[in-house]
Amino acid sequence: MSVSKKIQRIAVLTSGGDAPGMNAALRAVVLAADHYGIEVIAFRHGYQGLLDNEYLTMKPKDVLHVLQYSGTIIKSARCQRFKEESAATEAAANLEALNIDALVIIGGDGSFRGADHLANHWQGQIIGVPGTIDNDLYGTDATIGYATAVTIAMDALDKIRDTADAMDRVFIVEVMGREAGFIGLGSATAAGAERVVLPELQKDKPLTVSALVKHIQRVKEIRGEGSYVMVLSEHQWPGGAVALAEQLDAEYDLPCRPCLLGHIQRGGPPAPADRILASELGVHAIELILQGKHRVMAGMRANQCVDVPLRDTWEKKNPLASNLLRIQHEIFNPVKKNPRMNTQ
Ligand code: ADP
Ligand code: F6P
């Protein structure tokens, strides 16, 4: 690896919605930095800690046995004030005063926007590590946390199916991802849901109660008795799954049970895929710093470590898999009977 300049001291923080695997990424950053003889400090509570100068020195012993836990040992936060010009200037002054050569930011697209904002005011190198359950960053095949969240959602859907099937019931299961449908589409496909409502689809074809009722009826007509499980991404219906279930019952006399998975999707042991991805990307982030890279995200594409301009990660779109959408809607849950079956 070609090394551009002597990096002595770096900082790291976790920001935005916590994601399973953030601790594994932090561990990898600290261990890789130690390997290359670089000191590490961590700001607690994301950008808030950067503004408050709330930091601690991180040594390899501080990250022993943390990769099996979700959450983040250095805490995360959302910090509205960081969007202001004055906040970026203050943060830059804090980093200067601490002699920081580079900053690693583990977070999602909002955190990367914050990183870009800071880069306008600070001369040090900035590297992003994609940590979000939403999987909505351009330039990496997966983000750290997605694999765990989609597994938790799938497990819950499997459990719901047992009881739904026993009583031929309709369920609406609300999953996370208020702005991105990866968890919704992934879990619906993995668990064989009859229907999925995602933010990306809502723009062109918003859900209506009457269309949902028709779909439920059609599926029953085609398949006979049984359960109907719909996956609904957060914030896609006023009042969410509970309100929608109540409406189906009240207006269409169609009994329906809601289930909100909520923040359990961000907890528990991170999936192996997240631990492994986080480990690779944490090390990659340090090696990118040593290569003199700046304003990039450490990503993984087709099993290769890549670096992607930070702005591309939110300006370019990471689209939902169109083939999965097609399969989900046209092959697995068609609203028409197969014409070949009607010929006899
Ligand atoms: P995530 O990183 O998970 O997408 P958020 O969207 O909540 O989470 O963003 C995390 C934090 O990043 C925000 O609380 C704020 O401090 C910072 N941030 C987000 N957008 C901007 C922006 N446009 N300018 C500066 N900072 C931002
Ligand atoms: O962006 C991560 C995420 O977990 C989304 O999937 C979810 O919609 C949102 O954060 C929930 O935010 P909060 O933790 O603030 O309720």
Side-chain angles (χ1 to χ4, degrees):
M1 186 194 346
S2 68
V3 175
S4 68
K5 74 164 197 180
K6 181 83 182 117
I7 300 289
Q8 292 182 320
R9 202 164 196 235
I10 65 158
V12 59
L13 58 82
T14 48
S15 166
D18 54 273
M22 276 185 166
N23 282 326
L26 174 70
R27 169 182 177 268
V29 164
V30 173
L31 295 183
D34 186 68
H35 172 81
Y36 289 110
I38 303 168
E39 273 179 56
V40 183
I41 67 161
F43 288 101
R44 284 163 54 84
H45 297 111
Y47 291 124
Q48 189 60 52
L50 180 52
L51 294 178
D52 296 343
N53 246 326
E54 189 196 358
Y55 67 89
L56 62 161
T57 304
M58 297 296 286
K59 299 270 186 214
K61 69 171 173 42
D62 300 314
V63 290
L64 278 181
H65 318 310
V66 298
L67 90 171
Q68 64 268 50
Y69 299 109
S70 290
T72 155
I73 58 165
I74 56 171
K75 310 277 185 182
S76 190
R78 294 200 167 95
C79 171
Q80 199 56 26
R81 191 167 99 68
F82 200 70
K83 296 181 179 172
E84 293 169 17
E85 216 59 32
S86 63
T89 320
E90 263 176 55
N94 289 346
L95 290 164
E96 287 295 332
L98 289 164
N99 293 316
I100 302 299
D101 298 309
L103 175 63
V104 177
I105 289 155
I106 305 169
D109 67 316
S111 302
F112 289 177
R113 284 171 218 250
D116 196 63
H117 176 56
L118 174 63
N120 292 330
H121 299 268
W122 182 56
Q123 299 307 308
Q125 291 165 248
I126 297 188
I127 307 289
V129 173
T132 168
I133 63 168
D134 292 343
N135 201 33
D136 58 346
L137 291 169
Y138 171 85
T140 187
D141 291 341
T143 58
I144 298 162
Y146 169 67
T148 307
V150 79
T151 304
I152 294 170
M154 178 197 73
D155 285 346
L157 286 164
D158 287 349
K159 288 169 183 153
I160 291 288
R161 178 69 73 185
D162 290 346
T163 173
D165 231 12
M167 299 185 69
D168 295 335
R169 270 178 167 158
V170 175
F171 267 83
I172 299 175
V173 182
E174 194 173 303
V175 300
M176 273 192 164
R178 58 190 170 203
E179 278 157 23
F182 288 88
I183 298 172
L185 182 58
S187 62
T189 307
E194 277 68 29
R195 185 160 180 135
V196 56
V197 174
L198 311 167
E200 293 85 345
L201 306 182
Q202 285 289 84
K203 281 163 202 147
D204 288 341
K205 209 168 174 241
L207 173 74
T208 64
V209 184
S210 59
L212 175 58
V213 170
K214 264 195 211 136
H215 191 249
I216 294 169
Q217 286 165 348
R218 273 309 279 152
V219 168
K220 292 227 167 197
E221 272 167 35
I222 294 171
R223 298 197 180 149
E225 66 170 24
S227 54
Y228 181 101
V229 175
M230 174 171 124
V231 172
L232 171 69
S233 293
E234 256 180 16
H235 289 212
Q236 302 313 308
W237 190 262
V242 173
L244 184 53
E246 279 170 5
Q247 212 172 331
L248 283 176
D249 208 347
E251 291 175 19
Y252 291 86
D253 201 19
L254 204 163
C256 172
R257 295 287 188 273
C259 174
L260 273 65
L261 301 187
H263 291 79
I264 63 163
Q265 290 159 101
R266 298 213 306 232
D274 282 329
R275 301 184 196 198
I276 294 165
L277 180 66
S279 299
E280 286 197 84
L281 294 186
V283 174
H284 184 40
I286 296 299
E287 294 181 341
L288 287 173
I289 291 171
L290 291 170
Q291 289 164 26
K293 295 284 168 85
H294 176 41
R295 279 185 147 167
V296 292
M297 175 189 76
M300 185 71 71
R301 266 202 215 129
N303 285 325
Q304 298 294 316
C305 285
V306 293
D307 52 283
V308 183
L310 266 186
R311 292 190 77 88
D312 284 1
T313 66
W314 73 84
E315 282 181 356
K316 296 188 179 172
K317 189 93 190 112
N318 186 21
L320 290 174
S322 54
N323 196 40
L324 264 195
L325 282 171
R326 179 184 69 86
I327 290 172
Q328 174 67 19
H329 289 129
E330 293 171 25
I331 311 270
F332 293 158
N333 298 298
V335 283
K336 294 188 191 96
K337 273 190 180 154
N338 183 344
R340 292 163 61 131
M341 314 254 298
N342 289 339
T343 51
Q344 305 190 350

